[in-house]
Amino acid sequence: MRTRPSTWRTVAALAAAALVLSSCGADGTDDSEADPGSGGSDPAAALDGPPVRVGFLNPSGGAVPQPGADTGAEAAVDYINGELGGIGGRPIEVVSCDTDTTPEKATSCANTFVEEGVVAVMDGFNLSSSATLPVLKAAGIPLVGMIPFDSVTGAQADGRVFFAGPQAAFLVGALQAFKQTGKDSVVLALVDTPSSHQTIDGLLPLLAEALDMDASGVYFSPTNPNFTALAAAIAKDDPDAGGLMASPNEAACTALVQSLRKIRYDGTIFTAACTDYIETAPADAAGGALYSSTWLPAAMDHAPEEVKADLKAAQDAIEGVDGGTGGFYAYAEFAQFVTFAQALSEVTGELTGPTVLSTLKGLKDFPSFLGPEITCGSKTSPNCTSETLLFEVQEDGTIEPVGGDFLQPALEILGQIPGAV
């Protein structure tokens, strides 16, 4: 993964040289001015007015990184400024701060964002985003994301907006679909972190009881995973479906799929939001399942016509990032930034933290980018939808959504989980 300066200035050489981001310095200073002599065109050159500055909790580092999120964010900045005309004619500018999954680092980033005067902070699937909330709320800066990976962040609605469903919705949706197709037993794995124990030890038993399923979880090391042993643990009692509830990276999915097939596990392999394994191990991929908050390129053949143009635009922008990483996190982060920009495009006057929050909370039946229509502003949930996509891997390597489109997990089940509805 590349190193990158702390602030993305959409200046002279953005199109000619990829932006390079690194962790925010302690003083929060901006060292990201591109070399004016490097050539190329600036997507924001024709935009007037002061930039709309947003923070980004960049999840590229730490024990459980989410590679691709920074690629999606960078591609989205270029797309928003170059194709959408910015936000109300003003360029979007991103102050990026690398996180390492620890609350201490998240808090440090929050303080930097306040110093930098951002009007919102974009949560890049951060496991400790709740640590930013006291600082951000005191400064009147909203936290904006897709899926709250920190269950504390996802448990309440104040000061935050998330455009996709809560974690529980993806798990409930997948388990519902498995149940409906006669799969009554499931074993799912998560990397061994405190938030994972909240999910496996607390949430999974509740869902298993509500759906009348035999569902259990196992853990694996974030630093030294043994996928042969993990595959054996998942397949031990021959469950109808098994795999990863969430994956630390695409390589983990590929390794686990190959290990499960090697020991002749023939159940449905659930690969969280991974897609690279389909190209890496096509013979092993067919019949697998994965979830997503957005449409993905591998589903292009099965996407609605009105989605295909947006999906192609996102694919072109993401593939245009020099040295970038694709996959779910890239497309989800891209969709997050674009939905944010489109939602604020009609706001007149100065954009501040409070106006950003009130505008986003006021969205109703709003067409999110690559996602479903969203309605925000729930008093009990930060999420604007609970709909999810569950894809099945086809023999030809494409992925097709179960039911043809977004699924609605059972609200009576989600209602048992704080912040889910």
Side-chain angles (χ1 to χ4, degrees), residues 57 109-111 113-114 118 120-122 129 131-144 159:
L57 291 169
C109 287
N111 285 317
F113 295 146
V114 173
V118 305
V121 169
M122 310 298 267
S129 61
T132 69
L133 291 171
V135 174
L136 298 182
K137 288 167 66 176
I141 300 172
L143 180 67
V144 181

Side-chain angles (χ1 to χ4, degrees), residues 2-11 14 17-25 28-35 56 58 70 74 94-98 113:
R2 301 165 289 169
T3 58
R4 303 168 176 238
S6 60
T7 307
W8 300 352
R9 295 274 192 196
T10 48
V11 293
L14 180 60
L19 288 172
V20 186
L21 303 173
S22 64
S23 299
C24 291
T29 56
D30 170 28
D31 58 358
S32 62
E33 295 276 355
D35 179 6
F56 176 43
N58 190 335
D70 56 346
E74 180 180 334
V94 178
V95 179
S96 179
C97 190
D98 289 355
F113 295 146

Side-chain angles (χ1 to χ4, degrees), residues 23-29 108 112 115:
S23 299
C24 291
D27 59 1
T29 56
S108 175
T112 295
E115 293 170 3

Side-chain angles (χ1 to χ4, degrees), residues 46-301:
L47 303 180
D48 297 324
V52 178
R53 307 194 82 204
V54 300
F56 176 43
L57 291 169
N58 190 335
S60 299
V64 191
Q66 311 299 353
D70 56 346
T71 300
E74 180 180 334
V77 169
D78 205 353
Y79 178 77
I80 291 165
N81 289 334
E83 301 296 330
L84 301 185
I87 299 177
R90 290 165 287 183
I92 184 172
E93 179 182 289
V94 178
V95 179
S96 179
C97 190
D98 289 355
T99 61
D100 59 6
T101 73
T102 66
E104 293 77 14
K105 183 58 177 177
T107 301
S108 175
C109 287
N111 285 317
T112 295
F113 295 146
V114 173
E115 293 170 3
E116 291 288 334
V118 305
V119 299
V121 169
M122 310 298 267
D123 178 19
F125 304 94
N126 192 271
L127 293 171
S128 300
S129 61
S130 61
T132 69
L133 291 171
V135 174
L136 298 182
K137 288 167 66 176
I141 300 172
L143 180 67
V144 181
M146 288 292 278
I147 307 167
F149 271 24
D150 184 331
S151 60
V152 176
T153 298
Q156 296 183 24
D158 60 316
R160 67 211 84 166
V161 176
F162 285 78
F163 297 138
Q167 286 191 71
F170 294 90
L171 183 55
V172 171
L175 293 181
Q176 275 183 210
F178 291 152
K179 179 71 175 179
Q180 290 167 2
T181 54
K183 300 177 179 68
D184 294 317
S185 57
V186 181
V187 177
L188 299 175
L190 270 177
V191 66
D192 196 353
T193 67
S195 60
S196 297
H197 282 269
Q198 295 170 8
T199 302
I200 284 183
D201 301 342
L203 177 58
L204 192 57
L206 291 175
L207 300 183
E209 181 178 1
L211 292 168
D212 190 25
M213 295 182 70
D214 179 10
S216 60
V218 294
Y219 301 101
F220 61 98
S221 169
T223 56
N224 189 30
N226 182 330
F227 292 106
T228 299
L230 181 61
I234 290 171
K236 178 182 177 183
D237 296 319
D238 195 25
D240 298 321
L244 293 168
M245 190 183 302
S247 177
N249 51 57
E250 290 278 356
C253 285
T254 299
L256 181 61
V257 169
Q258 292 174 334
S259 294
L260 283 168
R261 293 306 191 207
K262 187 174 182 179
I263 62 174
R264 303 186 186 282
Y265 174 70
D266 60 0
T268 296
I269 299 179
F270 187 52
T271 55
C274 293
T275 56
D276 284 2
Y277 75 96
I278 300 172
E279 294 185 8
T280 303
D284 297 328
L290 59 119
Y291 61 68
S292 180
S293 59
T294 63
W295 288 94
L296 298 171
M300 182 75 79
D301 292 346

